[in-house]
Amino acid sequence: MGRELPPLNALRAFEAAGRHLSFTRAAEELNVTPAAVSHQVNGLEQYLGLRLFKRHPQGLLLTEAGQRALPGISTGFEHLSSAMSGLVAAEAERPLLISVTPSLAARWLVPRLEDFWEKHPEIEIRIDAREETSDMRRDDVDIGLRYGTGNYPGLHVECIGTQRVFPVCSPWLAEGEHPLREPADLRHHTLIHVDWRRGEMAAPAWRTWLEAAGVAHRVRARGGPRFTHHSMSLQAAVAGHGVALGSTLLVVDDLAAGRLVRPFEVALEDQYCYYFVCLPESMSNPRVRAFRDWVFGELAVHAEVVAGTAAEAG
């Protein structure tokens, strides 16, 4: 059975006033008014049923009971302060655990980590790449970068950016024996597919894009290699094995480096989004906030790259 203790604020007020023998100086230390300190001490005396101070015009004096109590209470607060300092220090040394989808980790996050480490060398991070959504409290996950609908009850949720989906391929394939000048030219090329599904969510399909481009009747949407992760389908496109559907966040680096090109301007609006998620209380954690601000800063840069490739495709 737990021991019943007086209110902590009342004990703090008594301890500070007892050390200083002054309500005014105790109030300055605790950043409250002298009246508030006096009120807390009075409440503690009523709770205990005994006097702790003798009030005199010249100042305060501890009663015999106050003298007996003060050293132990002061030591208790010192131990509590030390324990909290140790807790904060241990938390700062623990790696920041980030749960992220495998494709986003491979094609966007990992290539940028050196920049984050240069800006925040004091923050150690650990990447947990998996499709399954982690239980952030049970698994001690600090940050999640998830792909979905944004329905994450009880979490702080921010959309990283609406994704657009469009064909990408290697430059030499786009300008090769069968150049890609218009969507109908895809009939001469292998289409690379992603067989990714979780619940009601599924990867964007070629048939949907071909219908949007008005060539579904001229280009065969079936056939071609199939992969379970976007990152593998995009790597196949980089290697020149065909044309893949890429989303903005996953192809931005390959477009900027020229490993992939965007032959057509037609793009689908992805019905899902990548989200930054964390526990609501974690937003006051400086390390979580630093990573969050860095992510959104990087997104501002990648938006300019994708806008440039859209203009070239047009």
Side-chain angles (χ1 to χ4, degrees):
M1 183 176 178
R3 290 171 292 180
E4 188 173 339
L5 294 174
L8 185 60
N9 284 340
L11 289 173
R12 289 180 65 218
F14 163 69
E15 194 275 336
R19 277 188 289 108
H20 295 295
L21 291 178
S22 167
F23 288 158
T24 300
R25 293 178 62 187
E28 292 173 354
E29 177 182 317
L30 300 176
N31 197 30
V32 296
T33 65
V37 174
S38 178
H39 177 74
Q40 290 287 353
V41 170
N42 287 335
L44 180 60
E45 290 177 327
Q46 292 178 18
Y47 179 92
L48 297 173
L50 49 83
R51 296 284 300 277
L52 298 172
F53 289 105
K54 298 175 183 177
R55 281 80 164 170
H56 296 285
Q58 295 83 1
L60 295 177
L61 290 176
L62 286 165
T63 64
E64 183 177 347
Q67 293 177 38
R68 287 198 306 267
L70 183 61
I73 293 174
S74 294
T75 299
F77 275 110
E78 290 173 3
H79 289 168
L80 182 59
S81 177
S82 177
M84 293 305 298
S85 296
L87 180 62
V88 172
E91 176 65 15
E93 293 176 359
R94 181 180 68 84
L96 200 64
L97 181 55
I98 301 168
S99 174
V100 57
T101 58
S103 292
L104 186 64
R107 306 204 70 83
W108 189 83
L109 179 59
V110 172
R112 288 167 167 72
L113 285 180
E114 185 174 356
D115 177 75
F116 177 78
W117 287 326
E118 287 180 354
K119 293 176 179 176
H120 301 282
E122 77 287 359
I123 301 178
E124 182 181 353
I125 64 175
R126 177 183 169 215
I127 305 298
D128 180 15
R130 64 176 72 181
E131 293 290 357
E132 297 79 14
T133 301
S134 300
D135 184 316
M136 304 196 76
R137 293 190 187 277
R138 182 195 64 205
D139 300 333
D140 290 330
V141 174
D142 297 293
I143 294 168
L145 299 179
R146 311 308 306 177
Y147 178 69
T149 63
N151 182 27
Y152 304 108
L155 298 179
H156 171 87
V157 180
E158 293 182 79
C159 180
I160 290 178
T162 302
Q163 300 299 296
R164 307 197 79 202
V165 178
F166 44 82
V168 291
C169 64
S170 67
W172 66 264
L173 190 68
E175 299 296 334
E177 181 181 357
H178 298 288
L180 290 168
R181 300 284 184 257
E182 58 182 40
D185 293 333
L186 286 169
R187 67 185 183 276
H188 302 296
H189 293 270
T190 299
L191 303 186
I192 300 172
H193 303 265
V194 177
D195 283 338
W196 178 91
R197 177 176 291 277
R198 188 172 74 233
E200 297 298 319
M201 299 194 324
W206 265 111
R207 176 166 295 281
T208 306
W209 186 90
L210 293 172
E211 290 174 352
V215 294
H217 62 294
R218 301 175 63 185
V219 179
R220 187 168 178 264
R222 303 180 66 180
R226 314 185 81 86
F227 298 91
T228 57
H229 287 89
H230 290 85
S231 59
M232 293 188 289
S233 71
L234 295 174
Q235 190 57 42
V238 170
H241 298 322
V243 185
L245 285 175
S247 61
T248 50
L249 207 58
L250 300 185
V251 300
V252 59
D253 288 344
D254 291 313
L255 292 174
R259 292 185 293 269
L260 291 174
V261 295
R262 178 180 175 180
F264 315 118
E265 187 178 7
V266 179
L268 301 174
E269 292 290 339
D270 195 342
Q271 59 181 315
Y272 307 113
C273 180
Y274 284 100
Y275 291 91
F276 173 96
V277 300
C278 66
L279 297 173
E281 60 267 27
S282 294
M283 285 301 291
S284 61
N285 183 322
R287 299 192 306 156
V288 171
R289 174 63 69 172
F291 190 84
R292 181 262 176 210
D293 292 346
W294 173 78
V295 165
F296 280 88
E298 289 296 309
L299 291 171
V301 175
H302 105 258
E304 297 178 6
V305 174
V306 174
T309 63
E312 292 174 6

